[in-house]
Amino acid sequence: MTSPEPFPTDWQTALVLVAHPDDPEYGMAAAVARWTGEGKRVVYALASSGERGIEGMTPAECGPLREAEQRASAKIVGVDEVEFWGFPDSDIRNTPELRAKITETVERIAPQVILSLYGGPEWAPGQPNQRDHMEFAAAVLDAYDALSAHSGEVPAWLFENGPAATHAVDVDAQFEVAVRSLAAHDRYLSVLDPDTPVLDQARAQIDRATAPRDDVRVAGFELKRTR
């Protein structure tokens, strides 16, 4: 297997496009912490508020809670710009409305880099991807392609955070801050697995997401589009 290339460094603004709260934290947060520490601007945009994501809570209760946890989590890794678009959790579709919102956000933020969700059917054999993630990732690709066809100003790179990494970011120094960032989704994780302390859940996930290559922890990204 070919080793991933170093992630590009000649950019200033990245736009993280995801479907739900906690999506950035499961695989991107360590890289985001490194980039913001280097003075780069990172913006989070979320299609939904994850309002159907906590068992036993109504959407009216859950949505604001998860938004608050996401903002707190983002702040830990140096992200102060977080927006929620209000698309329905668990029913996200690659619709013209979603693609239009992605396009509007890309044009407004003007990033050089887009970081999106993995859109494949499985993370590994027997580990299916979520439908929301697949639909959202497809919408991002379609919106980017439409921009490329009709505008001279498009982000230079579009990456997905998935299992087939083509590029990697050294995040050895950002491991603990990424753990804290995921653990900020305290209510969500405590209901998801009530038998495992939240910090232990977060540490195990970040350990998997930043598996070392050549003894260095890395966050991996797959290049999907470039201009």
Side-chain angles (χ1 to χ4, degrees):
M1 181 180 294
T2 305
S3 296
E5 300 177 24
F7 197 90
T9 58
D10 53 336
W11 56 273
Q12 184 55 38
T13 300
L15 175 61
V16 173
L17 296 172
V18 297
H20 318 101
D22 80 34
D23 284 344
E25 286 67 54
Y26 270 79
M28 303 188 213
V32 169
R34 173 168 179 166
W35 293 326
T36 59
E38 294 170 346
K40 297 183 185 297
R41 177 194 181 201
V42 181
V43 179
Y44 285 0
L46 295 88
S48 81
S49 299
E51 66 275 6
R52 297 180 62 186
I54 299 181
E55 186 177 355
M57 292 186 70
T58 66
E61 296 173 303
C62 184
L65 171 66
R66 296 204 70 197
E67 287 188 9
E69 288 190 338
Q70 180 61 70
R71 292 186 190 281
S73 175
K75 197 168 188 64
I76 289 169
V77 293
V79 175
D80 296 319
E81 298 173 82
V82 182
E83 56 185 69
F84 302 89
W85 295 343
F87 287 87
D89 182 19
S90 301
D91 195 25
I92 293 172
R93 295 285 192 272
N94 180 5
T95 61
E97 292 78 13
L98 178 57
R99 294 193 297 274
K101 186 60 181 177
I102 292 167
T103 299
E104 181 275 325
T105 304
V106 171
E107 291 178 338
R108 171 166 45 86
I109 302 299
Q112 292 82 49
V113 179
I114 293 175
L115 303 168
S116 183
L117 294 170
Y118 173 58
E122 290 187 317
W123 283 87
Q127 298 180 23
N129 198 0
Q130 293 183 36
R131 185 184 64 189
D132 273 6
H133 290 183
M134 292 187 287
E135 291 280 336
F136 185 80
V140 173
L141 291 173
D142 287 348
Y144 183 94
D145 290 344
L147 275 171
S148 297
H150 298 103
S151 170
E153 294 298 325
V154 297
W157 302 278
L158 191 164
F159 290 92
E160 288 183 359
N161 179 223
T166 59
H167 293 69
V169 183
D170 177 343
V171 294
D172 250 357
Q174 288 76 34
F175 179 81
E176 291 297 336
V177 71
V179 171
R180 294 199 307 274
S181 183
L182 179 53
H185 295 276
D186 181 75
R187 185 71 176 275
Y188 173 76
L189 292 173
S190 65
V191 173
L192 186 67
D193 182 359
D195 297 325
T196 305
V198 164
L199 200 59
D200 290 349
Q201 291 185 57
R203 190 172 301 281
Q205 172 57 34
I206 301 305
D207 186 56
R208 289 190 295 268
T210 61
R213 290 179 182 267
D214 300 323
D215 299 321
V216 176
R217 287 194 175 276
V218 298
F221 299 88
E222 181 183 358
L223 182 63
K224 303 296 290 188
R225 300 286 192 273
T226 188
R227 62 164 171 79

PDB file of all heavy atoms in Angstrom, residues 5-7 30-35 38 167-175 210 213-221:
ATOM      1  N   GLU A   5       0.588  10.945   1.078  1.00  0.00           N
ATOM      2  CA  GLU A   5       1.412  12.137   0.914  1.00  0.00           C
ATOM      3  C   GLU A   5       1.154  13.101   2.059  1.00  0.00           C
ATOM      4  O   GLU A   5       0.100  13.050   2.699  1.00  0.00           O
ATOM      5  CB  GLU A   5       1.061  12.832  -0.405  1.00  0.00           C
ATOM      6  CG  GLU A   5       1.272  12.006  -1.639  1.00  0.00           C
ATOM      7  CD  GLU A   5       0.830  12.753  -2.884  1.00  0.00           C
ATOM      8  OE1 GLU A   5       0.799  14.008  -2.843  1.00  0.00           O
ATOM      9  OE2 GLU A   5       0.504  12.092  -3.881  1.00  0.00           O
ATOM     10  N   PRO A   6       2.091  14.017   2.319  1.00  0.00           N
ATOM     11  CA  PRO A   6       1.810  15.066   3.306  1.00  0.00           C
ATOM     12  C   PRO A   6       0.635  15.925   2.855  1.00  0.00           C
ATOM     13  O   PRO A   6       0.465  16.198   1.668  1.00  0.00           O
ATOM     14  CB  PRO A   6       3.106  15.885   3.330  1.00  0.00           C
ATOM     15  CG  PRO A   6       4.157  14.971   2.798  1.00  0.00           C
ATOM     16  CD  PRO A   6       3.469  14.094   1.797  1.00  0.00           C
ATOM     17  N   PHE A   7      -0.184  16.328   3.803  1.00  0.00           N
ATOM     18  CA  PHE A   7      -1.328  17.186   3.495  1.00  0.00           C
ATOM     19  C   PHE A   7      -0.822  18.551   3.036  1.00  0.00           C
ATOM     20  O   PHE A   7       0.169  19.058   3.556  1.00  0.00           O
ATOM     21  CB  PHE A   7      -2.193  17.348   4.748  1.00  0.00           C
ATOM     22  CG  PHE A   7      -3.580  17.851   4.480  1.00  0.00           C
ATOM     23  CD1 PHE A   7      -4.623  16.960   4.231  1.00  0.00           C
ATOM     24  CD2 PHE A   7      -3.859  19.211   4.463  1.00  0.00           C
ATOM     25  CE1 PHE A   7      -5.916  17.411   3.970  1.00  0.00           C
ATOM     26  CE2 PHE A   7      -5.140  19.677   4.206  1.00  0.00           C
ATOM     27  CZ  PHE A   7      -6.172  18.777   3.963  1.00  0.00           C
ATOM     28  N   ALA A  30      -8.031  16.256  15.529  1.00  0.00           N
ATOM     29  CA  ALA A  30      -6.594  16.397  15.799  1.00  0.00           C
ATOM     30  C   ALA A  30      -5.935  17.255  14.729  1.00  0.00           C
ATOM     31  O   ALA A  30      -5.111  18.137  15.032  1.00  0.00           O
ATOM     32  CB  ALA A  30      -5.941  15.022  15.881  1.00  0.00           C
ATOM     33  N   ALA A  31      -6.291  17.019  13.465  1.00  0.00           N
ATOM     34  CA  ALA A  31      -5.734  17.833  12.384  1.00  0.00           C
ATOM     35  C   ALA A  31      -6.192  19.280  12.500  1.00  0.00           C
ATOM     36  O   ALA A  31      -5.402  20.215  12.301  1.00  0.00           O
ATOM     37  CB  ALA A  31      -6.141  17.254  11.031  1.00  0.00           C
ATOM     38  N   VAL A  32      -7.461  19.474  12.832  1.00  0.00           N
ATOM     39  CA  VAL A  32      -7.973  20.835  12.990  1.00  0.00           C
ATOM     40  C   VAL A  32      -7.202  21.573  14.081  1.00  0.00           C
ATOM     41  O   VAL A  32      -6.833  22.746  13.915  1.00  0.00           O
ATOM     42  CB  VAL A  32      -9.481  20.809  13.301  1.00  0.00           C
ATOM     43  CG1 VAL A  32      -9.975  22.193  13.726  1.00  0.00           C
ATOM     44  CG2 VAL A  32     -10.270  20.322  12.092  1.00  0.00           C
ATOM     45  N   ALA A  33      -6.938  20.891  15.194  1.00  0.00           N
ATOM     46  CA  ALA A  33      -6.180  21.524  16.288  1.00  0.00           C
ATOM     47  C   ALA A  33      -4.786  21.941  15.818  1.00  0.00           C
ATOM     48  O   ALA A  33      -4.291  23.012  16.190  1.00  0.00           O
ATOM     49  CB  ALA A  33      -6.083  20.567  17.468  1.00  0.00           C
ATOM     50  N   ARG A  34      -4.167  21.109  15.012  1.00  0.00           N
ATOM     51  CA  ARG A  34      -2.844  21.489  14.499  1.00  0.00           C
ATOM     52  C   ARG A  34      -2.947  22.728  13.616  1.00  0.00           C
ATOM     53  O   ARG A  34      -2.153  23.659  13.730  1.00  0.00           O
ATOM     54  CB  ARG A  34      -2.234  20.333  13.706  1.00  0.00           C
ATOM     55  CG  ARG A  34      -0.948  20.755  13.017  1.00  0.00           C
ATOM     56  CD  ARG A  34      -0.139  19.639  12.468  1.00  0.00           C
ATOM     57  NE  ARG A  34       1.060  20.189  11.821  1.00  0.00           N
ATOM     58  CZ  ARG A  34       2.115  19.482  11.468  1.00  0.00           C
ATOM     59  NH1 ARG A  34       2.152  18.180  11.707  1.00  0.00           N
ATOM     60  NH2 ARG A  34       3.145  20.053  10.875  1.00  0.00           N
ATOM     61  N   TRP A  35      -3.929  22.720  12.726  1.00  0.00           N
ATOM     62  CA  TRP A  35      -4.048  23.841  11.777  1.00  0.00           C
ATOM     63  C   TRP A  35      -4.375  25.152  12.490  1.00  0.00           C
ATOM     64  O   TRP A  35      -3.789  26.182  12.177  1.00  0.00           O
ATOM     65  CB  TRP A  35      -5.102  23.516  10.739  1.00  0.00           C
ATOM     66  CG  TRP A  35      -4.723  22.378   9.833  1.00  0.00           C
ATOM     67  CD1 TRP A  35      -3.453  22.061   9.391  1.00  0.00           C
ATOM     68  CD2 TRP A  35      -5.594  21.404   9.263  1.00  0.00           C
ATOM     69  NE1 TRP A  35      -3.493  20.949   8.591  1.00  0.00           N
ATOM     70  CE2 TRP A  35      -4.790  20.522   8.490  1.00  0.00           C
ATOM     71  CE3 TRP A  35      -6.965  21.184   9.328  1.00  0.00           C
ATOM     72  CZ2 TRP A  35      -5.323  19.445   7.784  1.00  0.00           C
ATOM     73  CZ3 TRP A  35      -7.509  20.120   8.621  1.00  0.00           C
ATOM     74  CH2 TRP A  35      -6.697  19.257   7.861  1.00  0.00           C
ATOM     75  N   GLU A  38      -1.486  26.642  14.048  1.00  0.00           N
ATOM     76  CA  GLU A  38      -0.566  27.278  13.094  1.00  0.00           C
ATOM     77  C   GLU A  38      -1.121  28.598  12.544  1.00  0.00           C
ATOM     78  O   GLU A  38      -0.503  29.215  11.673  1.00  0.00           O
ATOM     79  CB  GLU A  38      -0.303  26.322  11.928  1.00  0.00           C
ATOM     80  CG  GLU A  38       0.446  25.062  12.345  1.00  0.00           C
ATOM     81  CD  GLU A  38       0.502  24.003  11.247  1.00  0.00           C
ATOM     82  OE1 GLU A  38      -0.259  24.123  10.262  1.00  0.00           O
ATOM     83  OE2 GLU A  38       1.301  23.061  11.391  1.00  0.00           O
ATOM     84  N   HIS A 167      -3.614  11.403   1.818  1.00  0.00           N
ATOM     85  CA  HIS A 167      -2.799  12.438   2.454  1.00  0.00           C
ATOM     86  C   HIS A 167      -2.923  12.307   3.975  1.00  0.00           C
ATOM     87  O   HIS A 167      -3.963  11.860   4.475  1.00  0.00           O
ATOM     88  CB  HIS A 167      -3.252  13.833   2.020  1.00  0.00           C
ATOM     89  CG  HIS A 167      -2.997  14.119   0.568  1.00  0.00           C
ATOM     90  ND1 HIS A 167      -3.682  13.481  -0.450  1.00  0.00           N
ATOM     91  CD2 HIS A 167      -2.116  14.969  -0.034  1.00  0.00           C
ATOM     92  CE1 HIS A 167      -3.233  13.927  -1.615  1.00  0.00           C
ATOM     93  NE2 HIS A 167      -2.300  14.829  -1.391  1.00  0.00           N
ATOM     94  N   ALA A 168      -1.882  12.706   4.665  1.00  0.00           N
ATOM     95  CA  ALA A 168      -1.872  12.548   6.120  1.00  0.00           C
ATOM     96  C   ALA A 168      -1.271  13.778   6.795  1.00  0.00           C
ATOM     97  O   ALA A 168      -0.416  14.466   6.228  1.00  0.00           O
ATOM     98  CB  ALA A 168      -1.081  11.305   6.523  1.00  0.00           C
ATOM     99  N   VAL A 169      -1.761  14.026   8.005  1.00  0.00           N
ATOM    100  CA  VAL A 169      -1.296  15.144   8.828  1.00  0.00           C
ATOM    101  C   VAL A 169      -0.699  14.560  10.102  1.00  0.00           C
ATOM    102  O   VAL A 169      -1.343  13.753  10.791  1.00  0.00           O
ATOM    103  CB  VAL A 169      -2.464  16.077   9.205  1.00  0.00           C
ATOM    104  CG1 VAL A 169      -1.955  17.270  10.001  1.00  0.00           C
ATOM    105  CG2 VAL A 169      -3.212  16.527   7.967  1.00  0.00           C
ATOM    106  N   ASP A 170       0.516  14.952  10.433  1.00  0.00           N
ATOM    107  CA  ASP A 170       1.157  14.526  11.684  1.00  0.00           C
ATOM    108  C   ASP A 170       0.430  15.188  12.848  1.00  0.00           C
ATOM    109  O   ASP A 170       0.413  16.415  12.970  1.00  0.00           O
ATOM    110  CB  ASP A 170       2.629  14.944  11.657  1.00  0.00           C
ATOM    111  CG  ASP A 170       3.389  14.613  12.930  1.00  0.00           C
ATOM    112  OD1 ASP A 170       2.765  14.350  13.977  1.00  0.00           O
ATOM    113  OD2 ASP A 170       4.636  14.632  12.886  1.00  0.00           O
ATOM    114  N   VAL A 171      -0.190  14.372  13.712  1.00  0.00           N
ATOM    115  CA  VAL A 171      -0.963  14.923  14.834  1.00  0.00           C
ATOM    116  C   VAL A 171      -0.495  14.354  16.176  1.00  0.00           C
ATOM    117  O   VAL A 171      -1.256  14.298  17.132  1.00  0.00           O
ATOM    118  CB  VAL A 171      -2.478  14.673  14.637  1.00  0.00           C
ATOM    119  CG1 VAL A 171      -3.005  15.464  13.439  1.00  0.00           C
ATOM    120  CG2 VAL A 171      -2.792  13.187  14.478  1.00  0.00           C
ATOM    121  N   ASP A 172       0.750  13.943  16.243  1.00  0.00           N
ATOM    122  CA  ASP A 172       1.288  13.415  17.506  1.00  0.00           C
ATOM    123  C   ASP A 172       1.009  14.363  18.669  1.00  0.00           C
ATOM    124  O   ASP A 172       0.585  13.944  19.743  1.00  0.00           O
ATOM    125  CB  ASP A 172       2.804  13.196  17.384  1.00  0.00           C
ATOM    126  CG  ASP A 172       3.168  11.721  17.358  1.00  0.00           C
ATOM    127  OD1 ASP A 172       2.263  10.874  17.482  1.00  0.00           O
ATOM    128  OD2 ASP A 172       4.361  11.412  17.192  1.00  0.00           O
ATOM    129  N   ALA A 173       1.251  15.650  18.441  1.00  0.00           N
ATOM    130  CA  ALA A 173       1.137  16.623  19.526  1.00  0.00           C
ATOM    131  C   ALA A 173      -0.304  17.001  19.826  1.00  0.00           C
ATOM    132  O   ALA A 173      -0.580  17.644  20.847  1.00  0.00           O
ATOM    133  CB  ALA A 173       1.939  17.886  19.174  1.00  0.00           C
ATOM    134  N   GLN A 174      -1.233  16.606  18.968  1.00  0.00           N
ATOM    135  CA  GLN A 174      -2.630  17.021  19.136  1.00  0.00           C
ATOM    136  C   GLN A 174      -3.537  15.893  19.645  1.00  0.00           C
ATOM    137  O   GLN A 174      -4.749  16.051  19.722  1.00  0.00           O
ATOM    138  CB  GLN A 174      -3.182  17.533  17.800  1.00  0.00           C
ATOM    139  CG  GLN A 174      -2.631  18.878  17.376  1.00  0.00           C
ATOM    140  CD  GLN A 174      -1.223  18.830  16.844  1.00  0.00           C
ATOM    141  OE1 GLN A 174      -0.834  17.850  16.202  1.00  0.00           O
ATOM    142  NE2 GLN A 174      -0.431  19.865  17.091  1.00  0.00           N
ATOM    143  N   PHE A 175      -2.972  14.756  20.013  1.00  0.00           N
ATOM    144  CA  PHE A 175      -3.792  13.618  20.422  1.00  0.00           C
ATOM    145  C   PHE A 175      -4.680  13.954  21.619  1.00  0.00           C
ATOM    146  O   PHE A 175      -5.902  13.731  21.597  1.00  0.00           O
ATOM    147  CB  PHE A 175      -2.900  12.413  20.764  1.00  0.00           C
ATOM    148  CG  PHE A 175      -3.661  11.206  21.219  1.00  0.00           C
ATOM    149  CD1 PHE A 175      -4.257  10.361  20.314  1.00  0.00           C
ATOM    150  CD2 PHE A 175      -3.787  10.913  22.575  1.00  0.00           C
ATOM    151  CE1 PHE A 175      -4.971   9.244  20.724  1.00  0.00           C
ATOM    152  CE2 PHE A 175      -4.504   9.803  23.005  1.00  0.00           C
ATOM    153  CZ  PHE A 175      -5.094   8.967  22.072  1.00  0.00           C
ATOM    154  N   THR A 210      -6.315   7.991  14.714  1.00  0.00           N
ATOM    155  CA  THR A 210      -4.959   8.520  14.477  1.00  0.00           C
ATOM    156  C   THR A 210      -3.931   7.406  14.607  1.00  0.00           C
ATOM    157  O   THR A 210      -2.857   7.613  15.179  1.00  0.00           O
ATOM    158  CB  THR A 210      -4.634   9.665  15.454  1.00  0.00           C
ATOM    159  OG1 THR A 210      -4.680   9.161  16.814  1.00  0.00           O
ATOM    160  CG2 THR A 210      -5.625  10.813  15.318  1.00  0.00           C
ATOM    161  N   ARG A 213       1.582   5.783  11.816  1.00  0.00           N
ATOM    162  CA  ARG A 213       2.333   5.334  10.646  1.00  0.00           C
ATOM    163  C   ARG A 213       3.786   5.691  10.905  1.00  0.00           C
ATOM    164  O   ARG A 213       4.104   6.850  11.158  1.00  0.00           O
ATOM    165  CB  ARG A 213       1.840   6.010   9.362  1.00  0.00           C
ATOM    166  CG  ARG A 213       0.453   5.569   8.909  1.00  0.00           C
ATOM    167  CD  ARG A 213       0.053   6.320   7.658  1.00  0.00           C
ATOM    168  NE  ARG A 213      -1.298   5.965   7.214  1.00  0.00           N
ATOM    169  CZ  ARG A 213      -1.565   5.023   6.334  1.00  0.00           C
ATOM    170  NH1 ARG A 213      -0.571   4.341   5.795  1.00  0.00           N
ATOM    171  NH2 ARG A 213      -2.809   4.764   5.966  1.00  0.00           N
ATOM    172  N   ASP A 214       4.644   4.694  10.838  1.00  0.00           N
ATOM    173  CA  ASP A 214       6.069   4.917  11.127  1.00  0.00           C
ATOM    174  C   ASP A 214       6.248   5.591  12.481  1.00  0.00           C
ATOM    175  O   ASP A 214       7.033   6.547  12.635  1.00  0.00           O
ATOM    176  CB  ASP A 214       6.717   5.760  10.023  1.00  0.00           C
ATOM    177  CG  ASP A 214       6.625   5.088   8.659  1.00  0.00           C
ATOM    178  OD1 ASP A 214       6.738   3.849   8.601  1.00  0.00           O
ATOM    179  OD2 ASP A 214       6.421   5.807   7.666  1.00  0.00           O
ATOM    180  N   ASP A 215       5.465   5.113  13.467  1.00  0.00           N
ATOM    181  CA  ASP A 215       5.561   5.579  14.857  1.00  0.00           C
ATOM    182  C   ASP A 215       5.087   7.011  15.065  1.00  0.00           C
ATOM    183  O   ASP A 215       5.340   7.609  16.118  1.00  0.00           O
ATOM    184  CB  ASP A 215       7.002   5.434  15.396  1.00  0.00           C
ATOM    185  CG  ASP A 215       7.453   3.987  15.397  1.00  0.00           C
ATOM    186  OD1 ASP A 215       6.629   3.105  15.725  1.00  0.00           O
ATOM    187  OD2 ASP A 215       8.630   3.742  15.087  1.00  0.00           O
ATOM    188  N   VAL A 216       4.397   7.589  14.091  1.00  0.00           N
ATOM    189  CA  VAL A 216       3.860   8.943  14.220  1.00  0.00           C
ATOM    190  C   VAL A 216       2.351   8.881  14.035  1.00  0.00           C
ATOM    191  O   VAL A 216       1.861   8.301  13.064  1.00  0.00           O
ATOM    192  CB  VAL A 216       4.477   9.891  13.169  1.00  0.00           C
ATOM    193  CG1 VAL A 216       3.834  11.278  13.251  1.00  0.00           C
ATOM    194  CG2 VAL A 216       5.982   9.990  13.368  1.00  0.00           C
ATOM    195  N   ARG A 217       1.614   9.472  14.948  1.00  0.00           N
ATOM    196  CA  ARG A 217       0.161   9.515  14.807  1.00  0.00           C
ATOM    197  C   ARG A 217      -0.219  10.466  13.666  1.00  0.00           C
ATOM    198  O   ARG A 217       0.322  11.571  13.568  1.00  0.00           O
ATOM    199  CB  ARG A 217      -0.507   9.979  16.102  1.00  0.00           C
ATOM    200  CG  ARG A 217      -0.476   8.934  17.199  1.00  0.00           C
ATOM    201  CD  ARG A 217      -1.418   9.273  18.337  1.00  0.00           C
ATOM    202  NE  ARG A 217      -1.444   8.196  19.313  1.00  0.00           N
ATOM    203  CZ  ARG A 217      -2.209   7.117  19.206  1.00  0.00           C
ATOM    204  NH1 ARG A 217      -3.022   6.980  18.183  1.00  0.00           N
ATOM    205  NH2 ARG A 217      -2.166   6.182  20.125  1.00  0.00           N
ATOM    206  N   VAL A 218      -1.170  10.018  12.847  1.00  0.00           N
ATOM    207  CA  VAL A 218      -1.585  10.852  11.727  1.00  0.00           C
ATOM    208  C   VAL A 218      -3.107  10.845  11.614  1.00  0.00           C
ATOM    209  O   VAL A 218      -3.781   9.891  12.007  1.00  0.00           O
ATOM    210  CB  VAL A 218      -0.975  10.373  10.384  1.00  0.00           C
ATOM    211  CG1 VAL A 218       0.532  10.456  10.413  1.00  0.00           C
ATOM    212  CG2 VAL A 218      -1.453   8.967  10.031  1.00  0.00           C
ATOM    213  N   ALA A 219      -3.632  11.932  11.079  1.00  0.00           N
ATOM    214  CA  ALA A 219      -5.020  11.993  10.619  1.00  0.00           C
ATOM    215  C   ALA A 219      -4.988  11.863   9.107  1.00  0.00           C
ATOM    216  O   ALA A 219      -4.220  12.561   8.434  1.00  0.00           O
ATOM    217  CB  ALA A 219      -5.675  13.304  11.034  1.00  0.00           C
ATOM    218  N   GLY A 220      -5.824  10.956   8.568  1.00  0.00           N
ATOM    219  CA  GLY A 220      -5.778  10.685   7.142  1.00  0.00           C
ATOM    220  C   GLY A 220      -6.966  11.256   6.393  1.00  0.00           C
ATOM    221  O   GLY A 220      -8.096  11.268   6.900  1.00  0.00           O
ATOM    222  N   PHE A 221      -6.724  11.709   5.172  1.00  0.00           N
ATOM    223  CA  PHE A 221      -7.748  12.300   4.319  1.00  0.00           C
ATOM    224  C   PHE A 221      -7.568  11.793   2.888  1.00  0.00           C
ATOM    225  O   PHE A 221      -6.436  11.661   2.413  1.00  0.00           O
ATOM    226  CB  PHE A 221      -7.668  13.824   4.337  1.00  0.00           C
ATOM    227  CG  PHE A 221      -7.885  14.419   5.689  1.00  0.00           C
ATOM    228  CD1 PHE A 221      -6.827  14.595   6.573  1.00  0.00           C
ATOM    229  CD2 PHE A 221      -9.158  14.774   6.108  1.00  0.00           C
ATOM    230  CE1 PHE A 221      -7.029  15.134   7.830  1.00  0.00           C
ATOM    231  CE2 PHE A 221      -9.370  15.313   7.373  1.00  0.00           C
ATOM    232  CZ  PHE A 221      -8.307  15.490   8.235  1.00  0.00           C
TER     233      PHE A 221
END
